[in-house]
Amino acid sequence: MLKVYEKQRNRLHILIENACFFDKMLHMKTLYDVQQLLKRFGIYVYIGKRLYDIEVMKLELEKLYENGLIDKTDYLTAELILRREHRLEMEKENND
């Protein structure tokens, strides 16, 4: 009886951990959050220029989605964040 309880408790613990992790992904708001999403798949982007980094992140994100590794909600949320950051970076460059 104790072993059955242990197995159920371990399964529940894993489910709770996964739910918490995916809940965090739904609350992506910053470029850092998108970087953390990419990092989950071993993708580290550093070109040296922030604008280029954002463009490469967009490409990597698209490939993850096309291959079914991330769901539509995460993809669209991350895409919107990257578009916003790209626009802000372009505005910053134009003002300089």
Side-chain angles (χ1 to χ4, degrees):
M1 181 71 170
L2 187 58
K3 284 189 176 188
V4 172
Y5 174 74
E6 285 276 326
K7 286 181 181 178
Q8 288 175 344
R9 191 173 60 121
N10 287 341
R11 286 182 189 151
L12 182 60
H13 181 70
I14 290 169
L15 287 172
I16 290 170
E17 279 183 7
N18 287 341
C20 290
F21 179 76
F22 288 114
D23 186 45
K24 288 178 187 174
M25 287 296 103
L26 292 176
H27 295 289
M28 284 187 286
K29 294 181 180 159
T30 65
L31 185 62
Y32 177 77
D33 296 331
V34 176
Q35 288 173 321
Q36 294 307 303
L37 174 66
L38 294 173
K39 189 174 161 183
R40 278 180 40 211
F41 299 96
I43 300 170
Y44 297 84
V45 176
Y46 180 76
I47 305 296
K49 187 173 181 182
R50 186 176 168 91
L51 186 63
Y52 299 157
D53 289 346
I54 293 166
E55 290 172 0
V56 171
M57 282 185 232
K58 277 185 175 185
L59 295 172
E60 293 292 344
L61 183 70
E62 191 175 309
K63 291 296 179 189
L64 288 174
Y65 180 67
E66 286 174 359
N67 289 301
L69 297 171
I70 58 174
D71 66 5
K72 190 172 187 175
T73 306
D74 286 341
Y75 171 71
L76 292 175
T77 303
E79 178 71 24
L80 286 173
I81 292 167
L82 291 174
R83 285 182 189 181
R84 181 188 69 220
E85 292 295 327
H86 191 274
R87 180 181 44 81
L88 292 172
E89 205 56 36
M90 291 295 289
E91 287 173 2
K92 190 188 307 182
E93 279 189 8
N94 290 337
N95 289 334
D96 289 342

